[in-house]
Structures are given as structure tokens and as C-alpha cells.
Amino acid sequence: MKRLAIIPVAAFLAATALAGCTTEEGGATITFWHDNDENMMNYLAAVATDALKDEGITVEAVKKSDIQAQIKLYGNDSSNGPDFFFGAHDAIGAYAEMGILSGIEGYADATTLGSFLDSTVDAGEYKGTKYLFPLYAETNLLFYNKDLWKGEMPTTTDGLLAYNEARIEEGGYGFLNQYNDTYNAAPWINGYGGFVINEEATPGISDAKTKEGAAYNARFAPTMSDGTYDTITNLFLEGKADGILAGPWFVSSVKDAGIDCGYVSLSRFELPNGEVLAPYEGIQGFAVMKYAEAKKDAIGKALTAMATLQVATDLAKNYNCTPALEAASEVAEVTSNEMVKETQYTIAESAVPTPNIPEMGVMWTPFTNFLTAVNKGENIDEAATKYQADAVQAIENMH
């Protein structure tokens, strides 16, 4: 989507290096940081600016690489940090413990927050305080090339495995996945009742159900090349693989490659234990810096301006985002979007919100190391014991 309103905002951003809020004659400029699709973020800034033009409030979107590191670095720096930022819910706990966030209920009234799906608001809650103003949800789906996929889509994970094995024998690839990666192996782990970390911050690597899920995930590894991001994405984009596990962040690359792509919810695939694949769910939205509380009125109005049905519809139609706004689920332009429909199905059926406790941040490495060991054929019990100990130690080192 290329709205005319985006053009002046983008030009304005290119011409300024401001970061933070500067008062202007009769109004204010407020800035949010992001590490996301620039067209989408500039669109949101333009919507808010247009809605608040009579009040002299201008909203700027500034892209920053590695947004989590940037927020941690500038979280207490009101001169150089943003007023608010756009990001995923799973980092909220770490920011909250740093004391750098304001509760979002100070910026959005109960009616506005009540217009969102409860799960999207709850995902941004930490120790009883809500910190995230949600805009959309995302999760992994099975992307498949409609010109390459052979026959009917399986309804079981055993069927997917058989499809992959058959394609290998034919000299091709079925669906690909980063099978060593914690986030991408989560559908198997969660589906078997395992977990990466629980609410009490106990690592789940040595849990019997986690090991069961990891062992089943390992059966797919020989059919998926080396499972690295660059390899599997290139294979799919070059038309050398029939499918791939990915999310809305991958859509623009698929479109650029000219692939006629279909999408299937992972919740549609039954595991041998009778459950279904259960991928992680992420909620993307805005959080406000504590030092920006003096600009509460302007920030609150900007957030409200971006929480309309029109914005939710545009995000779904133009960026394949699954709206957090509950009313959007009844809009034809939203429900007709195949990716959004399959994401909504996943969230309703089996998606698991990514843990937002600070300890989750140190779990990615030991859990990925555990998966890598299992996928290489190492003894699963020995690997679980080793990397559970590593995870426990990493958590202890945080405190």
C-alpha cells in the first residue's frame, strides 16, 4: 500500500535526526522507534499526525536496528531516547524490571483497551501491570508454493514427514524449517506439552514432554537441508523447495520472488499424540517510556488514533497483519485475507504466547544448543541434562 500521506512523512524523517519529543509552537512532536517494515510504520505515523493536525501534534517513526538493544541502552536517556516504541510483547518483562516503562493504562482508557482481544492485551502484562498497546498478532504458518506443492495438503505431521521424505527421494525438498532454532521448533515442543520456560522461570529442557517433542522434531531434520535461515529461505525463494515455516515478516520477500503462495495454520496438523502443532504467538504493539510521562496527553491521543477499525483493516489488507482490534474480525477485507484467516485459526486453536519474563531472554541459546545436539543424533537425555544445567546457571547469573 502506498498512501499519499506516507510520502511527506518519509521525506520528513529523512530530513531530521530528532529522537524524542520537542515542543513546537502550538503543539508537539513525539517520536517512536521501531525495527519493522518502514512503509507500515510510516503509515501509522502519518495516520496519527493527520488525525491530530488540528492540535499541532506530529508523530515521527524512526527505524532502529536491534530495537531491544537500543531500548535497553537509551531507556533512561530522555534526551536521546524515543517517547515510545513499537515492538514484540516478549521483551516487556525485561524492560519492566529495568523500570523504564509506563503502564499503558495511563495512556489508553478502559474502552480503548477493551476494544482489543483480551489475549493481545494480556500478553503485554507483567506483574499485574499492562505495558503494551497491541496492534496485531503474528505466528508461524506453513507457506507453500502453489505451483510446486504436490497433491493434497496432509492433515497430520506424520503426513508432512512422509511428504518431505518422498520429495527428498525425488531430488527436491518439501517444507523447510529452522529445526535447530527454539522459536521454529516450538510448535513441536509445545504440541507435545513441553516448554522452554514456565511462569516460575524454571527451564523446561529436561522435562520429559520437551524431550519427546524434540525427538519428534529431529525426525524432520534429514529432510530440511542444513536448517539455517539463509539456506532454507533461499531454497524456497528460488523455487527449489515446496514450502517453509515463516510469518508475515517473510511475505514481502515471497512477493518479490513472484511466488504464488498459500498459507496453512500449523494448528491443522495433528501430532502422533493426538494434539496439534502449537507455535509461539507474538503480539506487536507500542510501549511508552517512563520519562515520557510529561507528554502523556499527546502520546495517548496518538495511540488512540492508531487504534481505529480503518487502521486495523489497512494493516491486514496491505501488510498481512492479524489485527488485535476485535471488531476487525468481522470486516470482509480482513477475513478474506488467507494469511490473516490462518493466523486467527492458529491463535484460537493452539498458539502459545511467547513468555515475556526476563529469564526467557537467556533461554534461547541453551535451548537451541539442546535442539542442535538432538538433531545431530546425540543422546537426548545427556543433552537435556547438560543444557538444562546451562539454562539454570544463566538464570542464576541474572540475579
Side-chain angles (χ1 to χ4, degrees):
M1 177 207 55
K2 300 291 190 296
R3 290 202 168 198
L4 293 178
I6 294 176
I7 297 174
V9 174
F12 181 71
L13 291 175
T16 182
L18 292 174
C21 178
T22 59
T23 58
E24 298 178 341
E25 186 68 31
T29 297
I30 53 176
T31 300
F32 72 83
W33 286 0
H34 69 91
D35 184 11
N36 209 310
D37 184 297
E38 285 192 274
N39 286 336
M40 179 167 65
M41 295 294 104
N42 290 343
Y43 159 70
L44 291 173
V47 164
T49 297
D50 185 62
L52 303 174
K53 61 185 177 182
D54 292 342
E55 300 184 55
I57 297 173
T58 299
V59 180
E60 297 179 6
V62 176
K63 184 161 188 174
K64 295 284 185 177
S65 60
D66 194 359
I67 187 71
Q68 293 193 18
Q70 293 290 324
I71 294 301
K72 290 176 181 178
L73 182 63
Y74 293 100
N76 288 305
D77 187 351
S78 59
S79 297
N80 297 298
D83 297 310
F84 57 127
F85 64 92
F86 190 87
H89 81 275
D90 59 295
I92 288 297
Y95 299 145
E97 288 291 348
M98 291 174 64
I100 63 176
L101 298 183
S102 285
I104 202 65
E105 289 171 301
Y107 295 81
D109 59 31
T111 300
T112 301
L113 288 178
S115 67
F116 298 116
L117 295 167
D118 290 343
S119 63
T120 65
V121 178
D122 293 344
E125 182 173 329
Y126 180 73
K127 291 186 176 179
T129 300
K130 295 176 173 61
Y131 291 103
L132 193 73
F133 188 88
L135 279 196
Y136 64 87
E138 59 188 13
T139 189
N140 268 334
L141 302 172
L142 174 59
F143 288 41
Y144 69 97
N145 188 321
K146 293 181 179 180
D147 294 327
L148 296 181
W149 196 272
K150 299 178 181 294
E152 295 294 323
M153 180 66 62
T155 59
T156 67
T157 53
D158 279 351
L160 282 175
L161 180 58
Y163 182 90
N164 272 16
E165 291 171 342
R167 292 294 288 123
I168 288 291
E169 290 181 5
E170 295 167 355
Y173 289 104
F175 87 94
L176 302 177
N177 186 28
Q178 293 173 262
Y179 49 80
N180 291 326
D181 179 77
T182 302
Y183 186 86
N184 286 278
W188 282 260
I189 303 301
N190 295 332
Y192 267 94
F195 60 99
V196 176
I197 193 169
N198 63 17
E199 293 181 357
E200 289 73 40
T202 301
I205 296 175
S206 62
D207 182 82
K209 292 181 178 179
T210 297
K211 290 188 285 186
E212 192 174 1
Y216 187 65
N217 174 64
R219 295 177 60 188
F220 289 81
T223 71
M224 294 184 172
S225 186
D226 62 10
T228 62
Y229 177 82
D230 287 341
T231 297
I232 67 173
T233 55
N234 287 335
L235 284 171
F236 182 74
L237 295 175
E238 292 169 4
K240 297 176 182 177
D242 302 351
I244 190 171
L245 259 64
W249 52 86
F250 191 51
V251 172
S252 60
S253 297
V254 173
K255 289 183 176 179
D256 290 344
I259 294 173
D260 184 10
C261 194
Y263 312 97
V264 183
S265 166
L266 298 185
S267 302
R268 299 190 186 278
F269 300 106
E270 184 179 338
L271 288 158
N273 67 350
E275 302 297 328
V276 295
L277 290 174
Y280 272 144
E281 172 191 1
I283 307 300
Q284 296 279 351
F286 290 102
V288 182
M289 310 309 296
K290 180 167 285 188
Y291 56 63
E293 288 181 347
K295 306 147 193 175
K296 181 178 294 186
D297 184 60
I299 296 172
K301 289 177 178 178
L303 292 174
T304 301
M306 292 185 278
T308 66
L309 187 58
Q310 185 60 57
V311 168
T313 302
D314 286 346
L315 290 179
K317 183 172 66 174
N318 299 302
Y319 300 102
N320 297 290
C321 296
T322 301
L325 195 68
E326 188 170 9
S329 62
E330 299 178 2
V331 176
E333 289 178 294
V334 175
T335 57
S336 62
N337 182 299
E338 185 180 4
M339 170 172 275
V340 171
K341 180 183 71 174
E342 292 301 290
T343 300
Q344 288 175 327
Y345 182 82
T346 308
I347 292 170
E349 294 294 320
S350 68
V352 176
T354 309
N356 71 3
I357 60 175
E359 292 83 359
M360 181 65 181
V362 300
M363 284 301 302
W364 301 106
T365 296
F367 206 96
T368 293
N369 289 341
F370 163 65
L371 291 169
T372 301
V374 174
N375 292 330
K376 288 167 57 178
E378 295 182 21
N379 181 278
I380 192 167
D381 293 321
E382 293 177 0
T385 298
K386 172 178 171 54
Y387 294 110
Q388 176 80 2
D390 286 354
V392 170
Q393 186 61 58
I395 291 171
E396 288 179 356
N397 292 343
M398 293 178 63
H399 302 293

